[in-house]
Amino acid sequence: MKRPVRLLALALLVPMAVSGCVFDAERRAGEEIVDEFTDATFYDLPATLEPGDPGDIIRAREILSAPLGTQAWRVIYHSRDMAGNDIPVAGIVIVPDGPAPEEGRTIVSWAHPTTGSAQKCGPSLDSNPFLLIEGMDELLAAGYAVAATDYQGMSVAGASSYLLGVTEGNNVLDAARAARNLEGTGVGSRLLLWGHSQGGQAALFAAQQVRDYAPEFELEAVAVAAPAADLRQLLTDDIVDLSGVTITSYAFPAFTAAYADRYSQAQMEAILTPEGLAATPKMAALCLLSENKAIHAIAEPLVGHYVTSDPATTEPWATLLAENSAGSAPIDVPLYVAQGLADTLVLPKVTTSFVQRLCDSGEDVTFQTFSGVTHGFVADVATPDVVGFFVGVERGSHPGGNCGE
């Protein structure tokens, strides 16, 4: 094409592209309203559910406002909690348009960072539930299907599962099963796991559990960003500030309920000061993102006197935090770990220590740090590396980890 003709073509294409973007934004805005209206009762389940296998679909509804070039569904599916009970869990599934490969699409099961622990804080409840799936556009462009669990107790009624590793891991794996069971997704048996912060813990537990819990999947690789891998160190580091009070207020009711058969209410409550005990239900009812100011208004006055002692060294919390810390079982597939060096929540030294333990045990770990990057942005910054890592592993071109470097 000669230069004047090329310039004319570009001059015509640019406004068309802008017009297309505006049209798609308008389409999605309108359909978000329709989605919100039609999903008003989607999450209301009967008190007694028919039993189902993990990953069986309870309900599914197409999301009309899915991004252009994709198809998506809100789903409620069967999963299992740490005690093996059949529980309903919500989430979303999104796939790129077009035919799936003959062997089926690889599924990326995404585990989200903390949004809260209350039912109303589930990401799939949002009119745009795609916003918290870090790297979603790039993963879809690479041909992957994406499943995103809300975790037990979010979006649909149920006990909180906040930082309960086994339950969260089951929820992540069963979201992938639900994606396979959903007609029209074209999902096969190849599985990738990706999680950030709380979701990093969930993805690591899913990787540890997949061989026994979901052996039909071929787990190929795992990627985590600033994972909440060592809960003991996390609370020791953070309990002295606003973040630690908030995290503990979410974890307290989840752990108290989950371990009620092992420890009395009095044993669990002994870690909290009287003021902390009174404030915890109020904080646990608030969402981190949409009600940030409200929860911080309660938490800030408690900094320094929310707990009576360090939970990481006080029983029964020391035992429970250890049980819900990752690394107790092998992963045995390539693992990518991203860490921002400006992270003040999951401290770089803690992630470095966790990675070193994995390296010492013989795991294939690629560890990448990012200068100046904080906790909230590390997954976004790491996305190009994560997608490249996944693609390399799948193609057999993964060069191996950097444990010895």
Side-chain angles (χ1 to χ4, degrees), residues 21-34:
C21 290
V22 171
F23 173 78
D24 188 52
E26 291 176 346
R27 173 193 67 83
R28 292 190 65 193
E31 289 178 346
E32 282 172 8
I33 295 172
V34 175

Side-chain angles (χ1 to χ4, degrees), residues 62-63 66-75 92-101 104-108 130 133 136-137 139-148 175-176 178-188:
E62 186 174 1
I63 303 174
L68 194 65
T70 71
Q71 189 173 10
W73 300 262
R74 285 183 171 87
V75 294
I92 70 168
V93 175
I94 182 167
V95 300
D97 280 345
R105 292 187 174 95
T106 300
I107 179 75
V108 178
F130 312 104
I133 305 177
M136 183 193 75
D137 292 338
L139 292 167
L140 293 169
Y144 296 123
V146 176
R180 288 191 74 187
N181 291 333
L182 198 60
E183 186 177 353
T185 62
V187 170

Side-chain angles (χ1 to χ4, degrees), residues 12-325:
L12 292 172
L13 285 171
V14 168
M16 289 173 63
V18 172
S19 175
C21 290
V22 171
F23 173 78
D24 188 52
E26 291 176 346
R27 173 193 67 83
R28 292 190 65 193
E31 289 178 346
E32 282 172 8
I33 295 172
V34 175
D35 284 333
E36 191 170 357
F37 177 77
T38 58
D39 286 331
T41 60
F42 179 76
Y43 296 94
D44 293 335
L45 298 178
T48 302
L49 284 175
E50 291 294 322
D53 292 328
D56 282 357
I57 302 291
I58 298 171
R59 287 180 183 169
R61 180 169 290 162
E62 186 174 1
I63 303 174
L64 301 176
S65 58
L68 194 65
T70 71
Q71 189 173 10
W73 300 262
R74 285 183 171 87
V75 294
I76 302 174
Y77 58 92
H78 289 273
S79 189
R80 298 292 186 266
D81 65 13
M82 58 186 289
N85 298 312
D86 187 354
I87 54 172
V89 178
I92 70 168
V93 175
I94 182 167
V95 300
D97 280 345
E102 186 176 342
E103 68 277 13
R105 292 187 174 95
T106 300
I107 179 75
V108 178
S109 199
W110 158 253
H112 68 79
T114 299
T115 60
S117 61
Q119 181 180 348
K120 65 180 181 179
C121 306
S124 75
L125 288 175
D126 198 279
S127 59
N128 186 349
F130 312 104
L131 289 176
L132 264 183
I133 305 177
E134 291 157 309
M136 183 193 75
D137 292 338
E138 293 85 347
L139 292 167
L140 293 169
Y144 296 123
V146 176
T149 184
D150 284 348
Y151 311 129
Q152 180 195 10
M154 305 186 78
S155 299
V156 294
S160 170
S161 58
Y162 187 71
L163 293 181
L164 296 173
V166 171
T167 301
E168 290 176 339
N170 290 348
N171 299 166
V172 169
L173 294 171
D174 290 331
R177 282 171 157 157
R180 288 191 74 187
N181 291 333
L182 198 60
E183 186 177 353
T185 62
V187 170
S189 61
R190 293 173 302 178
L191 175 66
L192 300 166
L193 300 172
W194 167 221
H196 177 199
S197 191
Q198 176 194 358
Q201 178 216 24
L204 291 167
F205 267 84
Q208 294 173 183
Q209 294 163 197
V210 66
R211 283 175 295 276
D212 294 328
Y213 185 76
E216 71 272 26
F217 283 115
E218 179 187 352
L219 179 63
E220 297 189 309
V222 183
V224 294
D230 187 339
L231 298 190
R232 294 165 298 183
Q233 194 61 54
L234 178 68
L235 286 191
T236 294
D237 291 336
D238 294 345
I239 197 62
V240 294
D241 62 26
L242 197 60
S243 297
V245 173
T246 302
I247 291 169
T248 306
S249 76
Y250 288 157
F252 184 83
F255 278 63
T256 300
Y259 290 100
D261 61 331
R262 286 169 55 180
Y263 302 103
S264 69
Q265 186 86 4
Q267 285 176 297
M268 299 294 282
E269 290 180 351
I271 194 69
L272 297 182
T273 64
E275 306 98 305
L277 184 61
T280 292
K282 301 173 188 175
M283 291 188 284
L286 298 172
C287 303
L288 185 65
L289 303 182
S290 60
E291 298 173 304
N292 187 268
K293 288 184 179 179
I295 193 170
H296 283 182
I298 301 171
E300 193 163 16
L302 293 170
V303 172
H305 54 95
Y306 179 57
V307 293
T308 57
S309 58
D310 184 350
T313 59
T314 305
E315 294 295 350
W317 288 92
T319 294
L320 301 185
L321 294 174
E323 289 180 7
N324 288 279
S325 294

